[in-house]
Amino acid sequence: MDPAGVATSLLVLLAADNSSMLDCVCNHVASVTDDMSYGDGLMWETYCQDLGNYYLFETCENLEAPSLAVPAATRLVPRRGHEPPPAEDEECGSALAEVRHLTENSSRELTRGLIRGVAADCIRSCSVQGLDNMEWNLETLQTDRLRSATLTKLLHAVQQITRAINHRNRLVLDYNWEFLHNDHNISKTEFQAEIPVFLEHLSDYWRDSAQLLSLGVKHFSQLLVPLAFEQMGIHSNDLQRHEWINSMKHLRDMLHTKLSGWVHDVQSVSEQMAYYKVEEHKNRPGTYILRRPLLNHDLLSYHERFLSFRDDFTALCVARHRRASQMFGLADALYSFYYYNWFFDLQFVGDIESLDEEWHREDRSNAMVSVDTDCVQLLANALDHPTCPLEDLPPETKNLRERCRVQLWDDVVQRSPHVPVTSYLAYTQRINVNLCLLAWMTANSFGVCQDVPFSMLQSVHDARCYFDSPGDQSCLQSNATDAICSVSRAVLLLMCGDFSFHKSFDLCGVSFYTNGSHFTTYNLTWEREFYKGYVRPTERALKYKDSLNSATLKYKDFKIDSLKPLEMSFIALNIIFRFLTTVVYMYLPQLRNVPGKIFLSIQITGITQILCSEVIYRMTGVPDLSTMVHIDSALTLLRCIWLNLFCYQMYACVRHLRLPDDLPPAEARRVFRGQALYALIPWSVVCIATIAFEKMSKYYLMHSRIIFLAGISLSITFNLVCLGSVGYMYLHARNSMRQLKIFSNGKFASKKQYVFMSVKGVILSGIGIIIRIGFHQAQGIAQFVYYVHIATMVQGPLQFVFFICNGTTLPLLRNRVLSWWNPDIIRPGQELCSTAERNLERRRNERSLLAQSSL
């Protein structure tokens, strides 16, 4: 028979039947005692040889008896009989006859047919119907007939899938090697014509692999609970069995999340096959290479080769679930079994020699980003106080994690290394975090991404979108809830070598055979490729995290317990003395002039700010933090504007030689109303602008804070200009008097008065405000910021001392208070009825002083 006709006839036969016929052929070939024909040998090498070698690699501790890992994995290994079927089996005999007549020229067509036939047969026959709505509960698990029948079907299905994947991977690897090395020595023109066929075959292979993986993951998720029930032999009361079933469902969901990432990545690779190219090697004619896009199947190697559920979660769950170690150990072992028998070989199919598109990745180990403090606190708490994943999470916790992921992504998209801080509350709202540290905290096993499947190709695609297209986030494949998880994983694995590392373990390997036997090999530590997990933090990562905890998060809610009484005392004193200063200015008529009314506005604004941020918010938590930050920053700006008016009044009084009491009360009230209008107009404009920015989009948060910071800075600069002008005029006047040789025995002021005036100048200039805001911009020194925050609470007592307890105001206050007890006594300096009486009283005082001096 013509070889091409034989091959065609065989392919038709293979396509018409299922893999049982191929097993029949393999069994007959295995029983050949004489010399094999070329076709027998080809069939044996491409399909039959090493049919039953399946592997499991795990920690030796997890495989030691009485571990359930090996017995459970044994049930997942495909079975195949070794006795050849009867000779009268027509289909098997026909296929065997055609195989024996195969020649070298028809081998490639045979390989293609086997690849397609094995996949098509399994996709068609490996699906178990009627289990989509199957829910394992106590009743269904305890019904032996139902459980055993269903589990048998599922085990057979996953065995067939495992077997099909094993066959196809080996066939494709051989076929691709043969094609790319052009072993058939066909002409270059003929080879070029074969390239589209090869790429189409490769695309079909990956598409079929995605379908097989999807089917396998689905069946594996369905069989895990009944398989564990039979292997673990649960003998307990109904309540404990209910708890065990609920825990196993959580464990099933955890494994399903891990395996779903495989399916998504293989589907993505199949879509990327359209961008694969075949090129001739420049230095080796006749040898061809694959030119691949960046998103190629090499990225599959970033998936975890081993799980660490047993190491990470046993201690957390053993108090509630006494068999937690067995449960997690079983999950780790099954993941490893399917990784090496379903997923591992996919990374090397066709990877003979290749050139890849390059992505110029930068080291992001020192990059910083400003994010929400509460979200970082949630990430830190998840690492410091992890919870058992087998427990039901409250809906509020799940919603909080999702909101936090959305918030973190919004923060990261802003790309702001630092959001200006205008108040202590704003300092607790935002935090500067190292991007790699944030990625590790987010993508960690204990983080907020536990329920988000890990797709490496999607992560790299999203990371490229984030870094290469900062203004266009529409290129993201992930949704807004999962984007931070996707990008964080790519950042951690590709850009942050100093923040995570592979931790090696003492590993053991188990080889399984189709006859049900197995062989264990110990101590595989020499294999450098065997790692367990990829998110182990380096010393640098742990140091950054400890610094974050101790330097910032610990103090964000005023949680320095040893300083709590001191802080509360200072806040109370600040409010009391500000209130007393306000009362004095309202009580004394002499202080109710224009500067006095402005100073009174400063005090009222300060009291309102302290009550809002230090009392109401911290006692009731109302309003929310971001709103309170806006109110606190707005009141800080208003205080600065009042200081502007006060400093301007000082400058005007000195410049025009006009005393504050020159205006009558009615005129003073009118002038003050005008001054207040001048203050409130720019303040309202700034507040409306910042509110509008924050309402439009969260991306404008930094812009609104910059507006506040710029307004405060300009205001304080104006104060310094006014006070500098006053000082300049004083020095200019003193120098002029010296040039005119005008001398006086009296001094301008005593040392005490100089101190009083200097401190007043500092208070009125707003230098304290700018120093405090400057401290707030610093990161990593939160404890010192907290000390500065406490120190600012002495402003109330200081203002009372320097504005009330001075040589002008204190005597007036003392005389007014003393007049309550002796209203008939005229105190020194008390106003009399007329100018004549004031002159008479002054002469009496002068004579009295002259008589005393003469004595």
Side-chain angles (χ1 to χ4, degrees):
M1 182 181 290
D2 178 58
V6 172
T8 304
S9 176
L10 175 63
L11 292 178
V12 172
L13 195 59
L14 293 179
D17 207 342
N18 54 36
S19 59
S20 62
M21 186 189 64
L22 299 178
D23 292 344
C24 169
V25 173
C26 288
N27 288 333
H28 276 292
V29 173
S31 64
V32 173
T33 56
D34 300 330
D35 292 338
M36 288 185 179
S37 67
Y38 177 82
D40 289 340
L42 178 65
M43 189 69 183
W44 180 259
E45 290 179 0
T46 57
Y47 184 80
C48 304
Q49 188 180 23
D50 297 330
L51 192 62
N53 287 9
Y54 300 93
Y55 303 99
L56 165 64
F57 299 101
E58 251 301 315
T59 58
C60 297
E61 182 183 3
N62 194 21
L63 296 180
E64 291 175 356
S67 171
L68 303 177
V70 175
T74 302
R75 302 186 67 180
L76 303 175
V77 176
R79 297 289 188 269
R80 183 172 67 90
H82 292 278
E83 293 297 326
E88 57 267 18
D89 188 334
E90 261 182 54
E91 293 180 342
C92 179
S94 300
L96 185 61
E98 293 182 353
V99 165
R100 287 173 177 170
H101 288 88
L102 283 173
T103 63
E104 183 177 356
N105 293 331
S106 57
S107 61
R108 182 179 298 180
E109 194 169 355
L110 168 67
T111 305
R112 288 180 186 170
L114 289 173
I115 293 172
R116 294 169 183 167
V118 169
D121 172 63
C122 188
I123 293 171
R124 181 178 63 250
S125 62
C126 293
S127 179
V128 180
Q129 304 297 327
L131 296 181
D132 292 340
N133 298 322
M134 183 69 177
E135 184 63 29
W136 293 107
N137 51 38
L138 187 59
E139 181 182 355
T140 54
L141 286 174
Q142 287 183 332
T143 306
D144 294 339
R145 180 183 56 80
L146 175 61
R147 184 190 68 249
S148 298
T150 305
L151 184 57
T152 300
K153 293 179 182 179
L154 290 170
L155 285 173
H156 178 73
V158 296
Q159 288 171 3
Q160 293 304 105
I161 293 171
T162 303
R163 191 172 172 205
I165 292 175
N166 185 279
H167 283 311
R168 293 176 69 255
N169 288 348
R170 185 154 35 84
L171 287 167
V172 171
L173 185 61
D174 293 341
Y175 171 76
N176 291 349
W177 175 279
E178 180 185 359
F179 179 82
L180 292 174
H181 285 75
N182 195 8
D183 290 341
H184 289 275
N185 296 319
I186 62 177
S187 66
K188 189 173 183 180
T189 304
E190 292 175 327
F191 186 84
Q192 292 292 335
E194 286 285 325
I195 288 177
V197 179
F198 168 76
L199 293 176
E200 182 182 358
H201 143 75
L202 207 58
S203 179
D204 292 342
Y205 164 77
W206 281 99
R207 185 178 63 253
D208 293 344
S209 296
Q211 294 185 40
L212 288 174
L213 268 180
S214 178
L215 194 61
V217 169
K218 174 185 176 182
H219 290 343
F220 173 71
S221 298
Q222 291 170 329
L223 70 81
L224 179 62
V225 176
L227 177 64
F229 186 84
E230 290 192 355
Q231 292 297 130
M232 297 181 70
I234 306 300
H235 302 292
S236 56
N237 57 47
D238 288 350
L239 177 60
Q240 291 174 331
R241 289 188 179 188
H242 277 296
E243 292 179 352
W244 180 88
I245 293 171
N246 188 53
S247 300
M248 281 304 304
K249 288 179 179 178
H250 283 296
L251 187 58
R252 174 197 63 192
D253 294 340
M254 293 167 62
L255 271 177
H256 185 78
T257 299
K258 295 289 184 180
L259 301 181
S260 296
W262 297 356
V263 177
H264 186 281
D265 270 351
V266 175
Q267 289 174 341
S268 299
V269 170
S270 68
E271 296 170 0
Q272 292 295 318
M273 281 297 150
Y275 305 103
Y276 278 49
K277 308 293 181 185
V278 176
E279 299 177 357
E280 187 173 11
H281 200 292
K282 293 181 178 179
N283 300 324
R284 295 199 297 270
T287 300
Y288 289 81
I289 60 175
L290 282 176
R291 180 175 293 277
R292 305 177 301 186
L294 173 66
L295 300 179
N296 60 68
H297 57 265
D298 266 0
L299 293 175
L300 301 181
S301 62
Y302 284 96
H303 280 273
E304 292 173 286
R305 297 190 176 188
F306 303 92
L307 291 184
S308 54
F309 286 171
R310 187 171 182 267
D311 298 327
D312 292 341
F313 301 124
T314 296
L316 298 173
C317 301
V318 71
R320 178 76 179 272
H321 308 275
R322 60 185 182 85
R323 307 189 71 176
S325 178
Q326 288 183 320
M327 296 163 64
F328 288 124
L330 178 62
D332 287 353
L334 296 183
Y335 177 92
S336 174
F337 178 83
Y338 281 123
Y339 180 87
Y340 277 93
N341 296 290
W342 280 3
F343 191 67
F344 179 72
D345 286 339
L346 293 175
Q347 303 166 29
F348 304 100
V349 173
D351 192 15
I352 308 304
E353 189 167 354
S354 58
L355 293 175
D356 295 338
E357 172 191 340
E358 291 187 4
W359 177 30
H360 298 288
R361 303 190 298 265
E362 298 179 4
D363 182 10
R364 297 285 171 170
S365 299
N366 297 315
M368 304 292 289
V369 62
S370 179
V371 296
D372 181 79
T373 313
D374 289 334
C375 287
V376 176
Q377 182 74 68
L378 181 65
L379 299 179
N381 290 342
L383 291 172
D384 295 334
H385 308 288
T387 57
C388 176
L390 302 182
E391 304 292 340
D392 290 321
L393 287 177
E396 308 82 48
T397 303
K398 295 180 180 179
N399 294 335
L400 182 61
R401 288 183 175 182
E402 290 188 1
R403 289 198 304 270
C404 184
R405 296 206 300 257
V406 173
Q407 177 65 55
L408 286 176
W409 178 243
D410 288 342
D411 292 338
V412 170
V413 169
Q414 293 178 36
R415 298 173 177 273
S416 171
H418 183 75
V419 174
V421 178
T422 54
S423 69
Y424 190 83
L425 292 175
Y427 183 86
T428 67
Q429 184 190 18
R430 311 293 301 177
I431 182 174
N432 283 358
V433 178
N434 182 283
L435 181 61
C436 292
L437 178 64
L438 179 67
W440 172 69
M441 295 176 69
T442 303
N444 193 276
S445 298
F446 304 104
V448 296
C449 296
Q450 299 173 9
D451 58 337
V452 180
F454 171 43
S455 170
M456 189 61 201
L457 269 72
Q458 180 172 315
S459 293
V460 173
H461 181 278
D462 290 344
R464 292 184 73 195
C465 174
Y466 171 72
F467 288 108
D468 300 341
S469 305
D472 180 19
Q473 297 299 317
S474 62
C475 57
L476 286 175
Q477 290 182 348
S478 299
N479 55 37
T481 306
D482 300 339
I484 186 65
C485 299
S486 180
V487 172
S488 292
R489 285 160 173 164
V491 168
L492 180 64
L493 292 174
L494 301 178
M495 301 180 174
C496 303
D498 294 339
F499 280 79
S500 65
F501 68 97
H502 295 283
K503 184 178 181 180
S504 60
F505 284 76
D506 292 334
L507 293 174
C508 292
V510 183
S511 299
F512 296 94
Y513 305 99
T514 56
N515 61 4
S517 63
H518 63 270
F519 176 76
T520 304
T521 305
Y522 295 93
N523 297 327
L524 299 177
T525 52
W526 56 271
E527 291 284 359
R528 292 183 177 273
E529 66 181 18
F530 292 124
Y531 296 107
K532 196 171 180 68
Y534 68 91
V535 289
R536 304 295 176 185
T538 61
E539 291 297 326
R540 181 181 185 186
L542 293 176
K543 181 179 178 182
Y544 271 56
K545 179 184 169 298
D546 292 341
S547 174
L548 187 71
N549 278 349
S550 61
T552 302
L553 297 180
K554 182 178 178 182
Y555 307 102
K556 81 181 201 71
D557 291 325
F558 312 102
K559 292 180 180 177
I560 305 181
D561 296 334
S562 60
L563 297 178
K564 201 81 172 183
L566 179 64
E567 178 196 1
M568 294 301 156
S569 301
F570 273 39
I571 292 174
L573 287 175
N574 194 9
I575 295 175
I576 291 171
F577 277 97
R578 282 183 180 273
F579 181 75
L580 290 176
T581 305
T582 303
V583 169
V584 170
Y585 265 74
M586 294 179 67
Y587 177 67
L588 294 179
Q590 293 87 344
L591 300 180
R592 290 199 293 267
N593 47 38
V594 174
K597 292 178 183 294
I598 295 175
F599 187 75
L600 194 61
S601 300
I602 296 173
Q603 293 300 318
I604 294 174
T605 304
I607 293 173
T608 304
Q609 182 179 9
I610 295 169
L611 290 176
C612 289
S613 60
E614 305 295 338
V615 179
I616 297 176
Y617 173 75
R618 293 177 59 184
M619 289 179 62
T620 64
V622 177
D624 60 277
L625 180 58
S626 59
T627 303
M628 193 64 249
V629 166
H630 201 97
I631 294 173
D632 191 65
S633 300
L635 292 176
T636 299
L637 177 62
L638 184 59
R639 285 173 55 198
C640 292
I641 294 177
W642 289 128
L643 287 175
N644 292 159
L645 297 179
F646 192 94
C647 292
Y648 176 77
Q649 289 295 322
M650 292 176 58
Y651 167 78
C653 289
V654 175
R655 177 70 178 82
H656 301 290
L657 299 178
R658 185 185 67 220
L659 294 178
D661 296 332
D662 288 349
L663 295 176
E667 183 66 14
R669 287 193 294 270
R670 187 187 65 80
V671 173
F672 172 72
R673 285 194 295 268
Q675 295 286 322
L677 187 62
Y678 296 150
L680 294 176
I681 289 177
W683 179 74
S684 300
V685 170
V686 172
C687 290
I688 292 172
T690 55
I691 292 173
F693 270 121
E694 294 194 19
K695 290 297 182 182
M696 282 192 299
S697 174
K698 295 179 181 179
Y699 299 158
Y700 294 106
L701 173 65
M702 185 175 69
H703 299 80
S704 66
R705 298 286 170 80
I706 288 177
I707 290 176
F708 267 132
L709 190 61
I712 293 172
S713 301
L714 289 174
S715 178
I716 293 175
T717 301
F718 180 82
N719 292 343
L720 294 175
V721 170
C722 288
L723 294 176
S725 300
V726 172
Y728 171 77
M729 287 187 291
Y730 162 72
L731 294 175
H732 181 72
R734 189 176 65 173
N735 291 335
S736 299
M737 292 178 66
R738 287 179 177 176
Q739 291 177 1
L740 294 173
K741 297 182 180 181
I742 299 176
F743 298 98
S744 172
N745 292 331
K747 294 183 178 180
F748 177 78
S750 64
K751 291 182 179 180
K752 178 181 177 181
Q753 290 173 323
Y754 269 122
V755 171
F756 268 64
M757 286 188 296
S758 300
V759 174
K760 281 183 179 180
V762 171
I763 293 175
L764 295 176
S765 67
I767 292 177
I769 295 175
I770 204 66
I771 290 175
R772 186 173 74 250
I773 292 177
F775 262 92
H776 293 165
Q777 309 310 309
Q779 292 293 323
I781 56 170
Q783 188 168 355
F784 299 102
V785 175
Y786 184 73
Y787 296 153
V788 172
H789 169 72
I790 294 179
T792 58
M793 293 298 106
V794 301
Q795 286 181 337
L798 282 176
Q799 290 186 9
F800 183 84
V801 169
F802 291 105
F803 286 89
I804 303 300
C805 301
N806 54 45
T808 303
T809 307
L810 188 60
L812 291 174
L813 178 62
R814 184 178 63 247
N815 292 335
R816 293 278 294 187
V817 172
L818 291 177
S819 64
W820 293 347
W821 284 274
N822 298 303
D824 297 332
I825 299 176
I826 299 176
R827 305 295 174 186
Q830 184 177 1
E831 291 188 6
L832 300 177
C833 297
S834 65
T835 304
E837 290 181 350
R838 284 201 301 272
N839 293 335
L840 179 61
E841 183 64 25
R842 185 171 65 253
R843 281 196 295 269
R844 288 176 180 174
N845 291 335
E846 291 175 353
R847 290 174 182 172
S848 175
L849 291 174
L850 181 61
Q852 291 176 4
S853 63
S854 62
L855 290 174

